[in-house]
Amino acid sequence: MKQEGKIQGMKKLPKIIGHRGAAGLAPENTLAGFRKTVETGVRMIELDAKLTSDSHVIVFHDETLERTTDGQGAVAETSYEAIAKLDAGRWFAPEYEGTRVPLLSDTLDYFRENDIAVNVEIKPCPGRERETALKTLEVLAAHWSEDAPLVVISSFQRLCLDLAQEQAPHWPRALLTHHFEDGWKEAVKELKAYSVHGNFAAFGKTRAMDVQLLGAQAAAYTVNDIETTKILFSAGVDSIITDRPDMLAAWL
Ligand code: G3P
Ligand code: MG
């Protein structure tokens, strides 16, 4: 069902956004990792939203379980009950043993309680674009509100952003792009995008300005060193998405 609400996009992106929490510092896309990220003083966190086989929205990046859990197989073919039993922290460091894959709902509740802004990247498994977007929007409607901190919905999948615009136009949208592919400017205009999140290597000297001329903000991912950050900020980039927000925050 279409959601109504006040446009939330008047707020500015912070200069630093933690990538999957702080993926270089703590297990990505987990509550333990998000807590560690918040300890660094970061005020906005990017995460990936994906569906289990039984359509629970979990916070998870890969299409398969192997890299970041002790499980195996495709996320799209595994139930939430099975995923909830997996260890999502031990692979990163022994002290994170017992860390679980979180639900998006619990994660949003944690962010709201701690006044943390969030960039929800809708990351569907192939063929599940519509369902993933609609379920993610449902969870957002139930667990976020207009007086909560900024939420930005991003995706590489145009269908997901179109659905966000149609169903929940009050939540700001971000176009995700690897290389500023042909048609990106039209997409920004059609989506009334709040921001464009591009691969840092594709920015060059003028991309940030191109984005801003369209009325959007420019964010670059994934930047993990100070030299590159300096170059991007000099080129006018508004925000850096980083695995090491602790390091960049200490430098800023
Ligand atoms: O949102 C920026 C970044 O997260 C996009 O790439 O693969 O890390 O989700 P990925
Ligand atoms: Mg992501």
Side-chain angles (χ1 to χ4, degrees):
M1 185 198 281
K2 184 169 171 167
Q3 303 160 25
E4 302 295 339
K6 215 167 48 190
I7 301 231
Q8 215 219 5
M10 298 313 288
K11 302 166 189 171
K12 270 226 20 107
L13 285 174
K15 287 182 100 61
I16 293 180
I17 301 173
H19 184 232
R20 309 181 196 168
L25 196 65
E28 65 184 57
N29 285 333
T30 65
L31 282 170
F34 296 142
R35 280 190 209 103
K36 187 84 183 166
T37 311
V38 171
E39 278 172 24
T40 72
V42 161
R43 308 307 299 165
M44 183 162 187
I45 289 176
E46 185 264 3
L47 56 78
D48 305 288
K50 202 177 227 68
L51 289 185
T52 61
S53 64
D54 47 349
S55 298
H56 286 80
V57 187
I58 54 169
V59 182
F60 204 82
H61 180 273
D62 295 2
E63 283 171 27
T64 52
L65 295 162
E66 283 80 354
R67 183 179 64 87
T68 58
T69 75
D70 57 354
Q72 287 182 326
V75 176
E77 289 166 12
T78 311
S79 68
Y80 175 64
E81 193 186 354
I83 288 179
K85 291 186 182 132
L86 301 178
D87 191 303
R90 177 72 184 76
W91 71 277
F92 189 88
E95 65 262 35
Y96 287 105
E97 187 167 343
T99 297
R100 302 293 165 202
V101 174
L103 287 167
L104 179 63
S105 54
D106 292 341
T107 304
L108 292 177
D109 290 348
Y110 167 75
F111 286 163
R112 279 191 61 181
E113 281 157 21
N114 288 278
D115 203 29
I116 300 297
V118 60
N119 169 197
V120 175
E121 180 186 344
I122 303 176
K123 196 122 187 133
C125 291
R128 303 191 82 189
E129 291 79 7
R130 173 171 292 274
E131 195 191 355
T132 307
L134 294 178
K135 287 281 176 191
T136 301
L137 292 166
E138 256 176 44
V139 174
L140 264 169
H143 291 267
W144 212 254
S145 64
E146 284 153 21
D147 59 354
L150 175 66
V151 60
V152 178
I153 299 172
S154 65
S155 189
F156 286 109
Q157 305 298 326
R158 178 64 191 266
L159 176 63
C160 296
L161 293 175
D162 285 343
L163 286 166
Q165 184 173 24
E166 183 188 301
Q167 301 289 320
H170 52 295
W171 300 131
R173 292 165 294 286
L175 180 73
L176 264 170
T177 175
H178 294 292
H179 311 294
F180 291 88
E181 295 83 359
D182 288 350
W184 75 269
K185 288 188 180 177
E186 288 69 26
V188 170
K189 287 185 215 159
E190 286 159 14
L191 288 162
K192 297 188 173 63
Y194 166 82
S195 52
V196 177
H197 301 183
N199 187 307
F200 78 91
F203 265 90
K205 287 195 176 144
T206 57
R207 275 301 185 212
M209 205 192 297
D210 294 342
V211 170
Q212 290 151 354
L213 283 171
L214 294 168
Q217 297 174 70
Y221 70 88
T222 304
V223 183
N224 295 328
D225 69 279
I226 290 167
E227 271 319 299
T228 310
T229 303
K230 275 188 199 166
I231 292 167
L232 289 162
F233 281 150
S234 311
V237 166
D238 296 289
S239 191
I240 296 290
I241 301 175
T242 177
D243 293 332
R244 290 297 308 271
D246 54 321
M247 190 174 77
L248 296 191
W251 164 77
L252 260 186

